[in-house]
Amino acid sequence: MQQRAIDTALTALTGTALAGVLVAGVAVESAHGAPADKPMAHKATSQQVTGHHSTTTGKNTGHTTGKAAPKTRAVLSGSTTASYFWDDGSGVNGDTGAPASGKPMQKGMFASPSWPMNTKVKVTYQGRSVTGFVGDRGPGEPSHRGVMLDLDTYTFRHLVDGKKPTSKYDTGTSAGHLKGVKYQVLSWGHGAGTKGAPKPLG
């Protein structure tokens, strides 16, 4: 009788212990099982993809934006009174012969009393601009009175009103000189002449 009571007690105790182990196992499974891990892993993957996309977008933006090209700086700036000419050896309107540079007379060819041949110059007047080069010497005597640039007839007329001359020998305007023409020397030529502020011819 006493032995039966002991066996019954042990059986009850063992069942309780097994139940406790089962409950603990379920708790562990819930805390560390795959169903709880999968959403976290998916979230981490989404963040990684998003981060990679942002980095790629940033790189693309950097390549497409780019930097603005640097502006060309003038090596010399100032203002003067300008006259006009068209010397092609024809003798028309006081033509003094072919340009001193040896290049044919053309649009955008200027004459300077002192600057080196082939010097690149930008001239501006009342908001209109033309870029040309020194291809001849002049003006002569007027340079001693402050007229330091001779412009081809096309450039001169464009600065006056944006139009074209009547002919290459005649600007088609009553203006003989333009006061306050701004000049910018963009680069010095390698031909004969002197760099720096313009000097009267001779």
Side-chain angles (χ1 to χ4, degrees), residues 85-89 98-99 103-110 136 151-153:
F85 77 114
W86 190 276
D87 285 355
D88 58 4
K103 295 182 178 181
M105 188 67 206
Q106 57 192 278
K107 296 177 183 179
M109 178 182 280
F110 308 156
D136 201 1
L151 308 174
D152 68 277
T153 52

Side-chain angles (χ1 to χ4, degrees), residues 180-196:
V181 171
K182 295 180 181 179
Y183 63 78
Q184 292 176 290
V185 175
L186 304 180
S187 61
W188 295 112
H190 298 293
T194 305
K195 298 177 182 179

Side-chain angles (χ1 to χ4, degrees), residues 66-123:
K67 294 183 179 180
K71 294 182 179 180
T72 303
R73 293 185 177 181
V75 296
L76 179 69
S77 299
S79 62
T80 187
T81 298
S83 53
Y84 68 87
F85 77 114
W86 190 276
D87 285 355
D88 58 4
S90 64
V92 177
N93 293 340
D95 183 356
T96 58
S101 64
K103 295 182 178 181
M105 188 67 206
Q106 57 192 278
K107 296 177 183 179
M109 178 182 280
F110 308 156
S112 166
S114 61
W115 287 337
M117 289 292 165
N118 300 312
T119 291
K120 188 176 181 181
V121 186
K122 179 181 180 179
V123 291

Side-chain angles (χ1 to χ4, degrees), residues 32-100:
H32 301 288
D37 285 342
K38 286 183 179 178
M40 292 298 293
H42 177 71
K43 184 176 182 181
T45 304
S46 297
Q47 288 175 346
Q48 289 171 354
V49 171
T50 302
H52 177 72
H53 178 71
S54 297
T55 302
T56 304
T57 303
K59 287 182 180 179
N60 289 341
T61 301
H63 285 303
T64 54
T65 301
K67 294 183 179 180
K71 294 182 179 180
T72 303
R73 293 185 177 181
V75 296
L76 179 69
S77 299
S79 62
T80 187
T81 298
S83 53
Y84 68 87
F85 77 114
W86 190 276
D87 285 355
D88 58 4
S90 64
V92 177
N93 293 340
D95 183 356
T96 58

